[in-house]
Amino acid sequence: MNRIQTLYNSIIGKKVIAAVTGLILFGFLLGHVAGNLKVFTGSTEAGIPHIDEYGQFLKVAGEPLVPAGALLWGARLVLLFSILLHITVVVQLAMFSAKSRPVAYVKSKKKAASLPALWMMFSGSLIAGFIVFHILHFTTGTIQLGEFEHGYVYNNLRSSFSNPFVAGGYIFVMLVIGIHLNHGVWSMFQTLGIDNPDRNKFLRTASTAVTVAIILGFIAVPASFLFGAMPEAANYAHDLLTGH
Amino acid sequence: MRIKLHVWRQSSRSDKGHMETYELDNVVAEMSFLEMMDTLNEKLTVEGKEPVAFDHDCREGVCGMCSMVINGEAHGPKSKTTTCQLYMRHFDDGAEIFIEPWRASAFPVVRDLVVDRSAFDRIIQAGGYISNHSGPKPDPNSIPIEPNLAETALDAATCIGCGACVAACPNGSAMLFTSAKVSHLGMLPQGQPERFDRAKSMVSQMESEGFGSCRNYAECEAQCPKGISIAFIGRLNSDFLKASLVEPIDRRGDMKAQ
Ligand code: HEM
Ligand code: SF4
Ligand code: FES
């Protein structure tokens, strides 16, 4: 515990915590995008869209090993803890660095720093705002931007994303997440001391490739609904959705 | 050549300082940047004005004294080149040149372009040494070292401690300097005994001097006159992690079989 505290109190340690929590959040994004793609796989014989079924599955995942909802809430807590810790350390580091140059240059030039890297705080803040909005929109239904009924994931998506502003807004935020990750994923390797000149090109290319794949996967959903490429879901009875 | 200079003038540590404009029309392309500064100072002296204070010593790229941010770049526009090795032929006739001191709270301006870099000395004092016996001189090459390792350690050792990395970093971080100093000792056999303590104490000194935190921009590497690689920052991160989480590992004790 003492050692964790030493690490937490140092700027390198805080940066390592940003990298590890970033990795956890990145892992979540991978799972999330894979789940989202179920939107495209159609419906069961009973007419339930696979994505609705998947939503049901998440609620009971882990049964009967753990009670229904335990795994979901466990994961939510880990993610909440990670994002709060991620935000805490990056804000602390930014505040620490802000004191390091009291007098600004009249002229200053960047030779290497990339815009995504320089914009991490900006992209991150947008992501933080988006996460709150996104949960209020599609999880709780508090923000109504279309018809919303708990459990009817497919129909909820279809209704919200038929609005070009909603779909466009989601696509924009996905691009911002992509910008965050394009620097972030590689930066994680560097922070953890895993990058080296002999694998730098590979790690950078792989980071960008995975980021592009994830972001395209996310964008595919609002884009497909917006351009009307998605069939209407059959009306199915409430009682087919257990747990609601 | 004719040039127009905008130079930071600050009479003392407590003075607020300001940019001042000078015109020079007797600049020769073969002059080094510092010779151009000498020419400016001669002119100022003849005019009865205070010459511009700037640091310099070797004028051949090894001492690391000639700290100037030229047109927004530490050591000027030519990469892997110190200010003293920069020539006026690297500028156009009629050029407008901005000259500022390193900007960092850990490098206070003493006067004009001269900054106090003793913060770097204190980082070195915190762990930039190895312990050695003081007996008879050992045979040269008595400790075999893998050539690649020796070369990499030597690359780190080319850091001249100029501080351009700090000046260039948007966060005013000294990670490139500190990592070069930690690495060139920590990679060689002679530097092993203090390896993890060194990483911890030099980083801790770096933090208390008020240098900012690294954001992996690689701006330091791009503006470092010796082209020190940010790979050493990764290496320091890794050593620091081990030093704070696992090292030193106590592996004494009995073991049982089963
Ligand atoms: C989907 C959620 C997020 C993911 C996957 C993510 C991922 C990452 C990763 C992998 C890094 C690199 C860490 C390193 O360099 O070692 C990073 C850095 C950073 N993140 Fe995030 N992040 C997320 C959300 C946020 C949020 C909500 C903020 C809000 C402020 C934020 C702000 C930052 C900043 C400022 C950095 C740079 C830290 C530094 O270099 O000092 N991120 N992020
Ligand atoms: S790392 Fe490069 S820029 Fe930094 S002090 Fe050493 S030589 Fe100068
Ligand atoms: S004067 Fe010594 S490096 Fe420039």
Side-chain angles (χ1 to χ4, degrees), chain B residues 3-78:
Chain B
I3 54 169
K4 191 169 180 182
L5 296 170
H6 302 273
V7 186
W8 181 260
R9 300 305 309 262
Q10 178 173 342
S11 59
S12 67
R13 281 176 190 254
S14 52
D15 180 23
K16 237 179 123 272
H18 64 282
M19 292 299 274
E20 187 118 7
T21 307
Y22 305 100
E23 311 240 5
L24 271 185
D25 46 20
N26 53 345
V27 175
V28 184
E30 283 70 36
M31 278 179 180
S32 77
F33 199 86
L34 296 187
E35 281 163 346
M36 181 278 290
M37 293 299 288
D38 295 336
T39 313
L40 169 69
N41 279 346
E42 266 164 31
K43 182 177 168 221
L44 291 177
T45 311
V46 168
E47 288 170 2
K49 293 180 188 151
E50 191 65 36
V52 179
F54 62 92
D55 259 334
H56 60 99
D57 187 9
C58 70
R59 297 206 176 200
E60 55 180 20
V62 294
C63 75
M65 289 298 282
C66 49
S67 51
M68 290 181 197
V69 171
I70 302 164
N71 283 342
E73 291 175 59
H75 289 296
K78 208 162 178 307

Side-chain angles (χ1 to χ4, degrees), chain A residues 15 48 60 186 197 241-242:
Chain A
K15 180 87 176 139
I48 306 175
V60 296
W186 166 77
L241 279 177
T242 49

Side-chain angles (χ1 to χ4, degrees), chain A residues 37-56:
Chain A
L37 294 179
K38 283 200 175 280
V39 160
F40 299 109
T41 59
S43 312
T44 61
E45 275 176 21
I48 306 175
H50 285 152
I51 185 84
D52 295 19
E53 209 185 29
Y54 175 65
Q56 283 300 304

